[in-house]
């Protein structure tokens, strides 16, 4: 009997990609490292904006917001308050929607 015929299929597991996760779980921030010195100020501003947008997009996806149309500015700002970050600017909200759009 061939070896392939004796193998059993792995059991399917439930994906957590579409399962809503409550935001009341304790938020544990990632350990911060110093940024590289010598870059222009605009680089640091953009870098920090991208990090904030990523954190917010992850929190929104975990809470069940999968479509950019669902992520209005008010929704994004209330999520920022829940996870403990400063309210995002309009540009950061735009970046969050872009990240959600490309997460699919």
């Amino acid at each position: 009997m061939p070896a392939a015929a004796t193998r059993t299929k792995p059991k399917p597991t439930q994906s957590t990609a579409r399962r809503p996760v409550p935001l009341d779980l304790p938020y544990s921030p990632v350990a911060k490292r110093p940024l590289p010195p010598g870059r222009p100020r605009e680089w640091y501003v953009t870098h920090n904006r991208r990090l904030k947008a990523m954190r917010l997009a992850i929190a929104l996806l975990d809470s069940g917001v999968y479509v950019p149309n669902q992520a209005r500015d008010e929704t994004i700002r209330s999520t920022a308050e829940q996870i403990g970050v400063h309210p995002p600017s309009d540009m950061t909200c735009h970046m969050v929607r872009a990240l959600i759009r490309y997460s699919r």
Side-chain angles (χ1 to χ4, degrees):
M1 179 183 274
T6 60
R7 289 188 196 154
T8 59
K9 290 184 178 179
K11 293 183 180 180
T13 58
Q14 183 180 8
S15 173
T16 60
R18 299 288 180 190
R19 192 173 352 145
V21 178
L23 284 177
D24 58 347
L25 296 175
Y27 174 72
S28 58
V30 179
K32 293 184 179 184
R33 296 183 307 185
L35 293 175
R39 307 257 175 140
R41 176 173 168 71
E42 188 57 35
W43 183 90
Y44 297 105
V45 171
T46 305
H47 175 75
N48 289 329
R49 178 172 282 134
R50 286 178 183 159
L51 289 178
K52 181 188 264 188
M54 221 181 330
R55 286 186 199 108
L56 288 167
I58 291 167
L60 285 166
L61 288 168
D62 286 346
S63 69
V65 176
Y66 303 115
V67 184
N69 296 344
Q70 294 174 327
R72 296 185 318 275
D73 287 352
E74 304 85 41
T75 308
I76 295 171
R77 289 188 175 113
S78 67
T79 303
E81 186 179 325
Q82 288 177 346
I83 65 172
V85 297
H86 289 283
S89 65
D90 291 342
M91 184 183 292
T92 305
C93 290
H94 181 77
M95 290 177 82
V96 169
R97 283 188 287 276
L99 287 169
I100 291 173
R101 184 176 299 113
Y102 293 112
S103 70
R104 302 181 89 201

